[in-house]
């Protein structure tokens, strides 16, 4: 189980790095100034330097990626009962979102934080479901 968690966590880490890069590109496109924003401008203003803000933002995204990988491991583990699968899945996603919530300062606006949590968990769950579905389709094609 620990070996699988390490394997899925490593894959999740790589996806977290990719998500951070995609997020930075989307923020840069949204700002529409022609500059590349390596870090959110609001986060840069909160920390003493842009480098520290970038490290915090990268760490939050990679931590979320690791948690998503472990959540996927829980959803794929058929040895666990459905309740243990669901609890492990939600706990790992919640622990993954906590640093993201802290850097995004969701605690200042509780309703925005709750809705952001629900939306992010729903989007991640949909993506993990689609990954599992594609994997299942490939396995069925291999059996045929």
């Amino acid at each position: 189980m620990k070996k699988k968690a390490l394997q899925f966590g490593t894959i999740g880490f790589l996806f977290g790095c990719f998500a951070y890069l995609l997020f930075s590109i989307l923020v840069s496109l949204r700002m529409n100034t022609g500059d590349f924003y390596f870090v959110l401008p609001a986060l840069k203003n909160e920390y003493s330097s842009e480098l520290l803000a970038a490290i915090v933002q990268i760490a939050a995204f990679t931590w979320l990626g690791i948690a998503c990988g472990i959540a996927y491991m829980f959803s794929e583990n058929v040895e666990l009962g459905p309740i243990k699968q669901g609890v492990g899945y939600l706990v790992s996603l919640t622990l993954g979102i906590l640093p993201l919530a802290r850097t995004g300062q969701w605690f200042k606006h509780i309703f925005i934080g709750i809705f952001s949590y629900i939306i992010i968990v729903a989007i991640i769950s949909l993506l993990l479901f689609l990954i599992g579905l594609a994997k299942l389709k490939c396995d069925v094609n291999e059996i045929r």
Side-chain angles (χ1 to χ4, degrees), residues 36-47:
F36 180 72
Y37 289 91
F38 195 67
V39 66
L40 285 172
L43 198 60
K44 183 176 71 171
N45 294 336
E46 185 177 331
Y47 290 96

Side-chain angles (χ1 to χ4, degrees), residues 29-140:
L29 289 173
R30 174 74 171 103
M31 296 301 249
N32 201 18
T33 61
D35 295 330
F36 180 72
Y37 289 91
F38 195 67
V39 66
L40 285 172
L43 198 60
K44 183 176 71 171
N45 294 336
E46 185 177 331
Y47 290 96
S48 60
S49 68
E50 187 174 356
L51 180 62
L52 180 61
I55 290 171
V56 168
Q57 189 170 339
I58 291 169
F61 271 94
T62 54
W63 180 261
L64 178 62
I66 291 169
C68 289
I70 293 173
Y72 185 74
M73 180 197 69
F74 275 113
S75 69
E76 291 288 310
N77 192 352
V78 294
E79 297 170 359
L80 297 175
I83 293 174
K84 288 183 180 179
Q85 279 182 333
V87 167
Y89 181 82
L90 284 177
V91 166
S92 61
L93 278 184
T94 301
L95 290 176
I97 290 178
L98 286 178
L100 192 65
R102 175 69 182 124
T103 57
Q105 298 179 352
W106 292 357
F107 57 88
K108 289 185 178 178
H109 306 285
I110 191 71
F111 292 116
I112 292 173
I114 290 171
F115 289 125
S116 297
Y117 171 78
I118 291 170
I119 289 170
I120 289 173
V121 167
I123 290 170
I124 290 171
S125 296
L126 178 66
L127 289 174
L128 292 178
F129 173 75
L130 292 174
I131 290 169
L133 188 65
K135 184 179 173 193
L136 181 64
K137 187 175 181 180
C138 288
D139 291 345
V140 168

